[in-house]
Amino acid sequence: MELGAFGIWSLAFTHGDRREAQEAAGELEELGYGTLWLGGSPGGNPSGDLVLAAELLSATSRVVVATGCVSIWEQPAYRLAAAYHALPEQQRARLLVGLGVSHADFVDRYHRPRTALGRYLDALDTASPPLPPSARIIGAHGPRMSRLGADRSVGVHPYLVDEVHTWRDLATALL
């Protein structure tokens, strides 16, 4: 999956009018953007990330749509894998499912995040059918989470940090 040289992340996709988001996705594709990054679940809807992703994929023909990030606390892995496989193959080929462990709403469940994410990835691997590592990316802060992303997905989505922080995490993870 080719993400392109430029991508865009905007809350307008997840917190704005859905029709306007689809129109904007088409325009951004025409302007040459390679990836549209979606924020967390719109309206707190646990399946919303893939529903919106499917709408934007339907409104475009080549741009990649990436969720950044679906919280592992919101829905079981088997349900996420099923939602992914419910999409047409042409859309799945352009969908990158970002997975994350954070969000203030889940502080009561936020225990041993790396272990929890590892178990979630195990569940995605054993779902029937599985959500393949080639279609997922990990929201990562820190070298252990970055290593998990390198081993179990196409990489990491180091959001809300600068390039020095990201470089330090990746260098430590890969040593």
Side-chain angles (χ1 to χ4, degrees), residues 19-155:
R19 285 188 205 149
E20 288 179 12
Q22 288 175 315
E23 290 174 17
E27 289 178 30
L28 290 165
E29 181 177 66
E30 287 177 24
L31 290 171
Y33 285 89
T35 305
L36 307 178
W37 291 89
L38 310 182
S41 300
N45 179 352
S47 64
D49 292 285
L50 296 192
V51 171
L52 175 59
E55 291 172 0
L56 298 181
L57 288 163
S58 292
T60 58
S61 61
R62 79 165 168 75
V63 73
V64 172
V65 174
T67 65
C69 293
V70 174
S71 175
I72 67 166
W73 313 110
E74 286 189 322
Q75 65 180 309
Y78 75 88
R79 189 174 301 150
L80 181 61
Y84 172 82
H85 285 285
L87 299 173
E89 186 176 345
Q90 306 90 315
Q91 289 185 5
R92 288 194 312 263
R94 296 187 295 118
L95 176 61
L96 186 58
V97 180
L99 300 167
V101 296
S102 192
H103 301 305
D105 296 344
F106 309 110
V107 71
D108 61 323
R109 293 179 261 171
Y110 192 80
H111 303 288
R112 302 182 55 89
R114 191 206 167 281
T115 300
L117 182 57
R119 288 184 181 140
Y120 196 87
L121 295 172
D122 291 343
L124 287 176
D125 290 341
T126 59
S128 182
L131 197 156
S134 61
R136 55 193 190 209
I137 190 166
I138 305 300
H141 291 254
R144 292 183 68 220
M145 209 58 104
S146 294
R147 179 79 251 171
L148 186 63
D151 291 343
R152 309 277 310 267
S153 73
V154 296

